[in-house]
Amino acid sequence: MSQHPFLLPADPGAPFPPAERALRQPDGLLAIGGDLSLPRLLNAYRHGIFPWYSGGQPILWWSPDPRTVFRTDGVRLPSRFRRTLRKSGWTVRADHDFEAVIRTCAHIPREGQQGTWITDAMVEAYLELHRHGHAHSIEVVDDSMADGGRLVGGLYGVAIGRMFFGESMFSAESGGSKVALAALAHRLHDWGWPLFDAQVENDHLLSLGAVLLSRPEFLSAIAVLVDLDSPAGHWRERFGTLPASTLADVRPSG
């Protein structure tokens, strides 16, 4: 295994090195440099690689081992939260305001975190992915507001074939991100998509039902899923509108 990350050439169509060559320390660092062009990003996700870096750093590309994923029939909401959710007036939709979701993810304060890894360049790159129907936002809206609703939670990520690669989520009200996550899982399960990516483990994701796959397991799974037929395009109509209260009775299988 190489002891240094691979330096990407300027050509956005150039291949990435195999993800198996990623470093053990820091876990998953594979490559450095390149750009955030649409073909480069799609090529990265297709091979289980994603960009993650802070302002002032070069672009860093990662493929951690193990990989954190959700099975779409495996999201687990806490019992107390389910009871609250049954009375919720929130609704969930997709791709109505992708830019608001990604900018909120970039700027919302997070405990123990200073600044953001969602740089201006990242925002512009994912807006471009969204314009081409590859990046999607899940939006949780409080319909009780007089102005027609405001975002109380959401997430965004990239879809290729029948695989969704989650990038970031936020809560503006308690539980907003949980609802977005559960709604995404519910819709993807209905569509026959078995997994979605959550990248790196943390206690919060594990408490909601995330599981860990070894890098070989993850790469083997997505190699099939990204080639399954599911055309790119916005999800606004396909996802529809989902009352958050209906998620209270969706239980994980097994």
Side-chain angles (χ1 to χ4, degrees):
M1 183 187 304
S2 170
Q3 299 302 305
H4 302 283
F6 180 81
L7 182 61
L8 288 174
D11 177 9
F16 283 85
E20 294 84 356
R21 295 186 187 175
L23 303 183
R24 292 186 181 275
Q25 291 295 331
D27 177 35
L29 180 58
L30 175 67
I32 186 170
D35 57 26
L36 297 173
S37 63
L38 189 145
R40 178 109 60 184
L41 283 169
L42 292 177
N43 187 29
Y45 282 101
R46 178 174 285 276
H47 292 93
I49 302 161
F50 59 88
W52 184 26
Y53 68 104
S54 299
Q57 291 182 321
I59 301 172
L60 305 177
W61 302 87
W62 303 79
S63 183
D65 186 13
R67 189 69 162 245
T68 304
V69 303
F70 282 92
R71 303 192 188 283
T72 57
D73 61 353
V75 171
R76 184 171 59 244
L77 296 177
S79 297
R80 181 179 296 179
F81 182 67
R82 287 179 182 276
R83 290 195 293 272
T84 302
L85 199 55
R86 289 190 179 95
K87 303 175 184 178
S88 173
W90 295 352
T91 58
V92 191
R93 64 193 190 187
D95 286 347
H96 283 249
D97 201 343
F98 181 91
E99 184 168 1
V101 170
I102 190 171
R103 291 195 184 278
T104 304
C105 285
H107 297 298
I108 197 164
R110 300 179 191 271
E111 185 177 354
Q113 180 178 316
Q114 295 182 341
T116 180
W117 58 269
I118 307 174
T119 64
D120 289 344
M122 290 279 275
V123 170
E124 291 305 318
Y126 285 82
L127 284 172
E128 183 71 3
L129 280 173
H130 175 66
R131 283 190 284 269
H132 284 81
H134 301 294
H136 305 283
S137 57
I138 308 300
E139 304 146 10
V140 185
V141 178
D142 183 351
D143 287 321
S144 68
M145 303 297 289
D147 62 359
R150 70 178 181 91
L151 284 174
V152 296
L155 62 81
Y156 75 95
V158 176
I160 301 176
R162 296 188 189 177
M163 183 66 197
F164 186 84
F165 301 89
E167 274 295 316
S168 186
M169 59 185 182
F170 77 92
S171 290
E173 298 285 347
S174 178
S177 63
K178 291 188 183 75
V179 170
L181 192 76
L184 171 68
H186 183 60
R187 278 292 188 254
L188 294 182
H189 185 63
D190 284 348
W191 297 347
W193 300 30
L195 295 176
F196 62 95
D197 180 32
Q199 297 183 347
V200 180
E201 71 176 287
N202 60 47
D203 290 342
H204 178 62
L205 295 177
L206 296 176
S207 74
L208 295 173
V211 297
L212 304 180
L213 296 183
S214 70
R215 185 188 291 124
E217 289 175 318
F218 177 75
L219 295 178
S220 178
I222 70 167
V224 174
L225 295 173
V226 298
D227 282 337
L228 293 179
D229 182 39
S230 187
H234 291 164
W235 283 1
R236 182 179 294 198
E237 294 183 5
R238 185 181 186 189
F239 191 96
T241 300
L242 182 67
S245 59
T246 63
L247 298 168
D249 296 314
V250 178
R251 302 284 180 171
S253 65

